[in-house]
Amino acid sequence: MIFSIHGYRHCFQVAHPGSPVTVERYTRYREPVYLHCPIHGEVKASSAANVLLATHACPKCGEEASQATSYPSPENEGHKRRLSDSVLQRRMAKSSTPDCFDVHRDPSDPLFALFICPRHGPQKVRIGALVCGCVLCRKDRNQAKREAKQQMASSRTKIRK
Ligand SMILES: [Zn+2]
Ligand SMILES: [Zn+2]
């Protein structure tokens, strides 16, 4: 979870690399967030979490884009898919497991990305969750943290004895 505007801005940049949209005011992950779009000025997004998952950082830009591209030609589709794969790769490169490779959109499930983790093999994650990298690696890290804490706790009790 993200608690500070600083942390949120970082995730925002990972989710929308090179976006001219900036984060103006942030309270909580599930609360509205205020953005500044060069086209639309100050824009309120209903959920800071959704902004990270959306294709467009600015919800108004997203609305306009979805209206404009309601009938995409097959050629445009192919072009878009190639572009988004490189975006997915970039997101993975900035995640906590940048060594995962072969990142691409799942052809049968466009909300998901497929990639290969050098430790866990082929993986499938939600595209919005790519910024967190391999889910199994994260579980391993959390597990290691828990064990370290327990060890610290037990060594403390030993010292007391
Ligand atoms: Zn906009
Ligand atoms: Zn992994």
Side-chain angles (χ1 to χ4, degrees):
M1 236 13 63
I2 304 144
F3 296 106
S4 71
I5 185 164
H6 185 76
Y8 183 73
R9 275 190 175 132
H10 174 75
C11 289
F12 180 87
Q13 272 162 14
V14 173
H16 303 290
S19 170
V21 177
T22 53
V23 181
E24 294 299 312
R25 261 192 293 150
Y26 168 80
T27 47
R28 290 176 134 154
Y29 196 53
R30 300 280 168 201
E31 300 281 314
V33 63
Y34 291 85
L35 306 168
H36 186 271
C37 169
I39 300 161
H40 299 103
E42 189 183 81
V43 181
K44 180 186 175 187
S46 55
S47 156
N50 286 349
V51 169
L52 297 183
L53 305 179
T55 321
H56 293 268
C58 164
K60 284 191 182 169
C61 287
E63 254 170 54
E64 283 170 13
S66 69
Q67 278 160 12
T69 60
S70 41
Y71 299 104
S73 72
E75 288 141 85
N76 284 345
E77 268 298 282
H79 183 60
K80 221 161 72 188
R81 189 165 301 139
R82 270 205 303 281
L83 264 185
S84 54
D85 279 355
S86 67
V87 170
L88 298 183
Q89 186 74 61
R90 273 209 301 277
R91 286 192 191 183
M92 179 56 85
K94 290 184 181 177
S95 77
S96 46
T97 54
D99 52 344
C100 292
F101 55 94
D102 201 16
V103 189
H104 60 280
R105 200 175 277 266
D106 186 342
S108 61
D109 205 349
L111 282 179
F112 286 83
L114 301 172
F115 63 89
I116 296 173
C117 170
R119 291 159 297 272
H120 300 103
Q123 298 291 317
K124 176 175 171 171
V125 294
R126 252 181 189 281
I127 284 174
L130 251 191
V131 288
C132 299
C134 170
V135 178
L136 295 176
C137 284
R138 193 168 44 172
K139 271 189 192 156
D140 286 353
R141 270 200 308 281
N142 289 343
Q143 177 69 26
K145 252 187 238 168
R146 257 200 304 278
E147 278 167 11
K149 237 184 221 168
Q150 278 166 4
Q151 256 172 20
M152 246 169 41
S154 67
S155 66
R156 226 177 273 150
T157 51
K158 265 176 219 159
I159 293 165
R160 229 173 273 152
K161 280 172 194 169

